[in-house]
């Protein structure tokens, strides 16, 4: 049964307003979804990006949306309009894509689903801007140029803000967050695969708590 999404009152920048890090979550077992989300919430991390990289992604989103309305659960790895539609029906409140196409942008607009589109080049930024998107995900951040690239884009794309994702760690995150055109970062380090497999939710809560100091350190 589909969950009615409550995304219409959100804007893409609302996603970044809750904290400096959006965890990029890969869930292999649906039964891990709720305790994992609860552990992140206990550490003050409210925005959760659950990726579609596994078959457990959509049911995990639905479980979190139903049971933990205080979480802002979104969908990652959106590759096409159907991904967006299915995630919205499952209760996702925002979407994140690794790249940008007008198909995905139009689908998310039609669904009232805020989209954080991925970009890696100036041309992709221009395409996203032309379709009305100005808060973008630099992906894969470290591989495509990271901080030097973001600095070089600050002048020609002064109206754009970013959520760099890909290869960022708790050590390098403050360097990204110190940039004026960076609103938040995405990271997988908050949910280590070994901790999830072991059900070590206390460790995940501690990692979440540690993110609250990253903005101050920037």
């Amino acid at each position: 049964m589909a969950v009615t999404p409550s995304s219409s009152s959100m804007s893409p920048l609302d996603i970044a307003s809750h904290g400096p890090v959006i965890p990029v979550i890969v869930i292999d077992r649906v039964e891990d979804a709720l305790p994992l989300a609860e552990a992140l919430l206990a550490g003050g991390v409210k925005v959760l990006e659950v990726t579609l990289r596994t078959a457990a992604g959509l049911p995990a989103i639905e479980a979190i949306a139903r049971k933990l309305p205080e979480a802002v659960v979104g969908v990652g790895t959106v590759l096409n309009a159907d991904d967006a539609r299915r995630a919205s029906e499952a209760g996702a409140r925002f979407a994140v894509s690794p790249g940008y196409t007008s198909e995905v942008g139009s689908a998310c607009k039609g669904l009232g689903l805020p989209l954080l589109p991925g970009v890696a080049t100036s041309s992709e930024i221009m395409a996203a801007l032309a379709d009305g998107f100005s808060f973008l995900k630099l992906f894969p951040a470290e591989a495509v140029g990271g901080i030097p690239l973001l600095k070089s884009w600050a002048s020609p794309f002064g109206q754009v803000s970013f959520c760099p994702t890909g290869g960022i760690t708790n050590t390098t995150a403050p360097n990204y967050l110190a940039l004026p055109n960076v609103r938040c970062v995405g990271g997988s380090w908050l949910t280590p695969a070994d901790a999830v497999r072991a059900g070590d939710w206390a460790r995940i809560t501690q990692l979440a708590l540690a993110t609250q100091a990253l903005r101050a350190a920037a």
Side-chain angles (χ1 to χ4, degrees):
M1 181 177 177
V3 177
T4 301
S6 55
S7 59
S8 58
S9 62
M10 290 181 63
S11 75
L13 279 175
D14 289 333
I15 300 165
S17 69
H18 294 286
V21 182
I22 298 175
V24 179
I25 302 168
V26 179
I27 293 181
D28 292 311
R29 302 175 301 195
V30 177
E31 58 266 30
D32 290 332
L34 288 177
L36 174 57
E38 288 168 344
L40 290 166
L41 285 168
V45 174
K46 182 177 181 180
V47 176
L48 316 177
E49 177 193 336
V50 178
T51 69
L52 296 182
R53 299 177 192 176
T54 68
L58 277 177
I61 289 168
E62 184 165 359
I64 296 168
R66 282 188 178 282
K67 299 293 187 180
L68 297 172
E70 65 270 33
V72 182
V73 61
V75 58
T77 324
V78 172
L79 301 180
N80 51 54
D82 190 54
D83 286 345
R85 177 190 58 78
R86 291 184 297 129
S88 180
E89 290 173 352
R93 296 174 62 186
F94 67 93
V96 184
S97 58
Y100 181 70
T101 65
S102 290
E103 177 203 4
V104 169
S106 296
C108 289
K109 285 181 180 180
L111 293 163
L113 190 64
L115 174 65
L116 177 58
V119 297
T121 68
S122 297
S123 296
E124 289 170 320
I125 293 175
M126 291 168 66
L129 281 173
D131 288 348
F133 297 97
S134 59
F135 177 41
L136 309 175
K137 164 183 158 178
L138 173 63
F139 179 81
E142 285 284 285
V144 299
I147 288 171
L149 182 60
L150 288 163
K151 287 180 176 179
S152 71
W153 277 343
S155 181
F157 299 117
Q159 72 274 52
V160 178
S161 55
F162 294 93
C163 174
T165 305
I168 297 173
T169 68
N170 60 335
T171 301
T172 60
N175 300 326
Y176 280 91
L177 293 166
L179 300 178
N181 58 348
V182 169
R183 294 296 188 103
C184 59
V185 300
S188 58
W189 79 86
L190 275 73
T191 56
D194 61 336
V196 176
R197 282 194 300 268
D200 190 351
W201 310 125
R203 179 182 168 197
I204 289 172
T205 294
Q206 287 302 311
L207 289 167
L209 285 166
T211 68
Q212 308 311 310
L214 292 177
R215 181 75 71 182

